[in-house]
Amino acid sequence: MTTITTRTVEYPADGLTMVGHLALPAGAGHRPAVLVGPEGTGLNDFQRRRADALAELGYVALAFDIHGGRWFTDPQEMLARVTPLLADPGRMRDIGHAALDVLRAEPRTDPDRIAAVGYGTGGAIALELGRDGVDLRAIGTVNALTTGRPGEAARIRCPVWAGVGSEDPIMPPAQRDAFAAEMQAAGVDWRLTVYGGALHAFHHPPVDQTVLPGIGHHPLHARRAWHDVVGLLTECLPVPE
């Protein structure tokens, strides 16, 4: 395992002070970089470890915040925050751009080689950055088959990979079809992986909290989804030797 360094970064966005987690790979010089967006519950240690794992692979990685340092354990409180956010592309883009500015400001970041990976709400934010025309090398999402405003997907300038559980009631087949239709009509280089038998948030370990119906961990598909995310980055944003 390579030696990485990490630090907390605070920055303003959405009227809040966001508290992100920056992970830097060993060595010196510019490296490709990845934005890592968390689930709707917010940024916790599991998402921070995702950034650490990417740094171990040689990427500068920023696990960005979406709730001003909060991690929700009450589903209704979380929905009260997330539902209007997901309905407002401008707010999602502002949160994404604020995190992107932090990542670009890091001296180790190669500003011309950045990808965005997100889970749930964080994935929706990654997609909105693409729809806003941000120059990304790849967008990867899990459980975030959100559709955008008409025509704006044509501004996506990179490959898009999306993963979803077959039994996810929050992202059901009709939502998969709408997402696929949007990407196809826009001429995006897109892929969709459906993980058989998996529910929503299948990629996140179970936590001691009351959760919404349709949420459940699937360890095997969680490993496969991470492998697919790393494969996307290896293809589209390889780390230099």
Side-chain angles (χ1 to χ4, degrees):
M1 182 182 298
T2 59
T3 301
I4 66 170
T5 57
T6 65
R7 70 174 185 267
T8 299
V9 290
E10 295 188 358
Y11 58 96
D14 201 37
L16 302 168
T17 298
M18 299 300 185
V19 185
H21 176 81
L22 183 67
L24 302 176
H30 282 176
R31 289 293 183 271
V34 184
L35 279 176
V36 183
E39 292 84 353
T41 47
L43 184 60
N44 67 4
D45 283 344
F46 179 69
Q47 289 92 345
R48 295 182 187 99
R49 286 195 295 271
R50 285 176 175 146
D52 294 349
L54 291 173
E56 289 167 1
L57 294 174
Y59 297 97
V60 176
L62 174 64
F64 65 86
D65 185 13
I66 58 176
H67 300 318
R70 293 196 63 186
W71 186 70
F72 290 100
T73 57
D74 183 319
Q76 297 310 313
E77 192 177 10
M78 181 270 290
L79 288 174
R81 161 80 181 158
V82 167
T83 301
L85 176 61
L86 290 172
D88 190 335
R91 282 181 66 196
M92 287 193 284
R93 292 176 185 187
D94 287 347
I95 290 172
H97 276 289
L100 187 61
D101 288 345
V102 171
L103 186 59
R104 283 177 170 157
E106 163 54 46
R108 296 288 309 281
T109 295
D110 181 343
D112 297 320
R113 303 186 69 224
I114 297 176
V117 172
Y119 296 79
T121 301
I125 290 170
L127 285 167
E128 282 305 320
L129 285 176
R131 294 185 183 108
D132 202 31
V134 173
D135 185 14
L136 299 169
R137 293 299 182 95
I139 296 171
T141 74
V142 182
N143 295 336
L145 301 180
T146 55
T147 51
R149 291 182 290 217
E152 290 190 340
R155 302 174 70 188
I156 296 175
R157 303 161 64 182
C158 64
V160 171
W161 171 84
V164 66
S166 69
E167 307 308 301
D168 184 344
I170 299 172
M171 296 288 161
Q175 187 66 26
R176 291 181 224 159
D177 293 345
F179 176 81
E182 180 193 23
M183 295 295 112
Q184 186 65 22
V188 175
D189 176 4
W190 67 278
R191 286 170 281 174
L192 175 62
T193 301
V194 179
Y195 298 95
L199 296 166
H200 193 71
F202 69 88
H203 46 83
H204 195 293
V207 292
D208 184 18
Q209 68 179 73
T210 303
V211 294
L212 297 169
I215 289 178
H217 183 48
H218 195 300
L220 178 58
H221 285 325
R223 291 193 296 272
R224 287 170 170 166
W226 178 250
H227 180 269
D228 289 339
V229 166
V230 172
L232 173 74
L233 296 174
T234 300
E235 174 189 343
C236 301
L237 192 68
V239 175
E241 297 293 336

